[in-house]
């Protein structure tokens, strides 16, 4: 029992984050967030005990939150992308063209229903494309801002940045993580409503 208790455990909140579980470009965003977090860890270890180190540790906790949010967003985006891939728009467009050609000389009301159904599927695909593109653009920006905040925190930890900027850096990290949370919630709502209909 004592031996088991002495075995080191990975208690990091981000221990279960595995970029290989999601496809590109989502994987890239997660890898970037993890790399930024590791860079911060590599530097903070050399910071002397005191108020600055305490502040940096608080920032580290929020950085963990940011990595987890990037991971959650990536998984949602991955799921949405996979669902979108199951919609064959080329086949749907070909079917729509065929139905429209038939309707030119056939007034069967069922053809109208087929056309409406096909158009609805194409509209769903277009909406999903928009959501995916928007999420990737927003996450790319947030990833860059996350990296910038980490770089500023590293500057503080090395003593080359003004200690007074610690609160500003912490605020920047909080802001990025909050925006990540907002994006994740929005993506979850879209995933639930859209993926459930495909």
């Amino acid at each position: 029992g004592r031996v088991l208790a002495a075995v080191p455990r990975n208690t990091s909140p981000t221990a279960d984050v595995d970029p290989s579980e999601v496809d590109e470009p989502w994987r890239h965003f997660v890898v970037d967030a993890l790399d930024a977090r590791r860079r911060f860890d590599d530097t903070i270890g050399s910071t002397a005990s005191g108020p600055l180190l305490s502040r940096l540790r608080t920032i580290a906790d929020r950085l963990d939150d940011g990595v987890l949010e990037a991971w959650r967003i990536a998984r949602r985006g991955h799921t949405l992308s996979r669902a979108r891939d199951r919609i064959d728009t080329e086949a749907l467009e070909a079917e729509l063209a065929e139905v429209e050609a038939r309707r030119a000389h056939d007034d069967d009301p069922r053809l109208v229903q087929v056309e409406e159904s096909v158009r609805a599927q194409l509209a769903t695909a277009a909406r999903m494309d928009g959501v995916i593109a928007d999420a990737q653009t927003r996450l790319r920006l947030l990833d860059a801002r996350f990296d910038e905040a980490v770089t500023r925190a590293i500057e503080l930890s090395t003593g080359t940045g003004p200690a007074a900027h610690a609160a500003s850096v912490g605020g920047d990290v909080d802001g990025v993580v909050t925006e990540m949370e907002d994006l994740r919630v929005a993506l979850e709502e879209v995933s639930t409503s859209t993926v459930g209909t495909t």
Side-chain angles (χ1 to χ4, degrees):
R2 288 194 204 103
V3 172
L4 288 175
V7 174
R9 292 182 176 82
N10 189 347
T11 57
S12 168
T14 62
D16 293 331
V17 174
D18 184 359
S20 68
E21 292 183 8
V22 296
D23 295 335
E24 292 290 359
W26 308 106
R27 180 182 304 160
H28 174 76
F29 300 131
V30 180
V31 169
D32 271 3
L34 284 170
D35 284 347
R37 182 66 180 88
R38 288 190 192 104
R39 285 193 296 111
F40 184 79
D41 276 343
D42 289 344
T43 307
I44 196 174
S46 60
T47 304
S49 297
L52 178 57
L53 180 59
S54 297
R55 183 58 181 160
L56 290 172
R57 284 176 174 161
T58 299
I59 292 173
D61 290 339
R62 284 301 274 162
L63 292 176
D64 284 337
D65 293 339
V67 171
L68 290 173
E69 286 302 331
W71 172 231
R72 291 172 184 135
I73 292 168
R75 286 192 298 176
R76 285 293 178 178
H78 170 87
T79 299
L80 188 58
S81 295
R82 284 289 183 90
R84 171 61 184 87
D85 288 343
R86 292 195 293 270
I87 303 176
D88 188 344
T89 50
E90 287 188 10
L92 287 170
E93 288 167 353
E95 183 177 1
L96 179 61
E98 179 184 348
V99 170
E100 288 175 335
R102 290 183 59 187
R103 283 194 61 204
H105 54 78
D106 188 339
D107 60 358
D108 187 337
R110 289 172 296 186
L111 290 175
V112 175
Q113 294 174 337
V114 171
E115 181 179 346
E116 290 174 350
S117 175
V118 173
R119 288 188 184 280
Q121 292 176 71
L122 287 170
T124 295
R127 284 194 302 273
M128 292 173 75
D129 286 339
V131 169
I132 291 167
D134 180 65
Q136 289 176 357
T137 299
R138 289 177 63 185
L139 187 54
R140 185 172 288 109
L141 172 60
L142 290 170
D143 225 23
R145 288 178 55 200
F146 186 80
D147 206 37
E148 178 187 0
V150 168
T151 300
R152 291 183 62 203
I154 289 173
E155 180 187 28
L156 286 172
S157 73
T158 60
T160 56
H165 287 182
S168 173
V169 173
D172 289 345
V173 172
D174 280 337
V176 172
V177 174
T178 297
E179 288 189 49
M180 284 182 169
E181 291 168 349
D182 292 343
L183 174 56
R184 187 252 307 161
V185 169
L187 204 52
E188 284 177 349
E189 292 173 352
V190 170
S191 296
T192 299
S193 61
T194 305
V195 175
T197 63
T198 58

